[in-house]
Amino acid sequence: MALVFTVAQQKGGSGKTTLAAQIAVAWAKRGHAVAAVDIDPQASLAAWGAERERAPSGTVPLTLRGLAGWKLATELDRLKREHDMVVVDSPPHAETDAHAAVRAADLALVPVQPSPMDLWAIGPTLAIARSERVPWRLVLNRVPARGRMVETARAHIADQGLAAAGTTLGNRTAFARSLMQGRGVVESEPRSAAAREIDALAAELENPR
């Protein structure tokens, strides 16, 4: 039976869809049968999927679905029978759909930038995971190349007793560049620092049970 990973974040601008697309491709590149599901009304992941269909050869197999949140449970039943992993990109502000997406997950991934405003804003997202009794991991995202912000953010996370992935994702243009091509960075720039980071995160999270 497939594992379901819901990428959830009530605050906009956290890199939610980027994380969903990149980790889905990274898991597929690692040999898993992966499906990515977009229930965010903005449909950014679905738009990336459409671009991916037009991409030249060299992409790994990946199932993509864009659908309304109320259809998620039925679609997950189908996808879980045929895949190892399902990544759900959830809506940021639709309360009912966000709850349903987190409820269906084996693990909720919560991307957060290492800034005070972003760290303070994760409360509503974590409240959803806690209310649904679903385990979660913060993923530090768009981490600057220089400065002590990561150490400060990790200290805050530790002080609050929050669970965070050990792997961080840098503020790298390679992530956005690959999405514009309908790809993941492990496909478009496999030797880059960005590819190494997302592959390390995929390896860290692929067996959450």
Side-chain angles (χ1 to χ4, degrees):
M1 185 66 72
L3 294 170
V4 177
F5 298 83
T6 293
V7 184
Q9 177 55 281
Q10 295 290 284
K11 184 182 184 301
S14 63
K16 178 175 61 66
T17 299
T18 296
L19 175 59
Q22 295 289 352
I23 202 164
V25 174
W27 277 326
K29 188 76 178 287
R30 293 175 68 84
H32 298 289
V34 181
V37 181
D38 189 357
I39 64 166
D40 187 340
Q42 293 183 6
S44 298
L45 187 68
W48 168 76
E51 191 67 31
R52 188 174 179 82
E53 291 181 355
R54 294 189 289 269
S57 60
T59 58
V60 294
L62 184 69
T63 300
L64 288 145
R65 296 283 188 272
L67 54 120
W70 63 270
K71 296 181 179 180
L72 178 62
T74 300
E75 187 64 20
L76 282 179
D77 285 342
R78 296 193 191 101
L79 293 174
K80 287 166 69 175
R81 290 194 293 267
E82 300 173 357
H83 298 83
D84 304 318
M85 296 178 172
V86 181
V87 180
V88 180
D89 187 14
S90 65
H93 302 300
E95 190 73 9
T96 300
D97 289 348
H99 273 268
V102 172
R103 186 185 309 124
D106 295 287
L107 183 68
L109 303 180
V110 184
V112 58
Q113 296 186 60
S115 75
M117 298 300 292
D118 287 82
L119 288 166
W120 294 334
I122 61 176
T125 305
L126 299 188
I128 292 174
R130 287 166 175 151
S131 70
E132 300 295 346
R133 299 183 179 181
V134 170
W136 45 269
R137 293 290 184 279
L138 299 181
V139 178
L140 285 173
N141 191 31
R142 295 177 177 166
V143 173
R146 296 181 178 83
R148 302 183 63 180
M149 188 57 73
V150 177
E151 290 79 5
T152 302
R154 285 203 178 279
H156 174 82
I157 289 167
D159 289 343
Q160 298 297 313
L162 303 177
T167 307
T168 63
L169 302 179
N171 188 20
R172 304 186 187 281
T173 58
F175 287 122
R177 192 161 54 239
S178 67
L179 297 184
M180 290 295 292
Q181 301 169 9
R183 299 186 176 202
V185 74
V186 296
E187 297 169 321
S188 62
E189 301 180 45
R191 299 181 183 275
S192 66
R196 291 194 296 272
E197 288 172 352
I198 195 66
D199 185 62
L201 182 65
E204 178 182 350
L205 298 176
E206 66 185 345
N207 294 303
R209 288 172 179 167

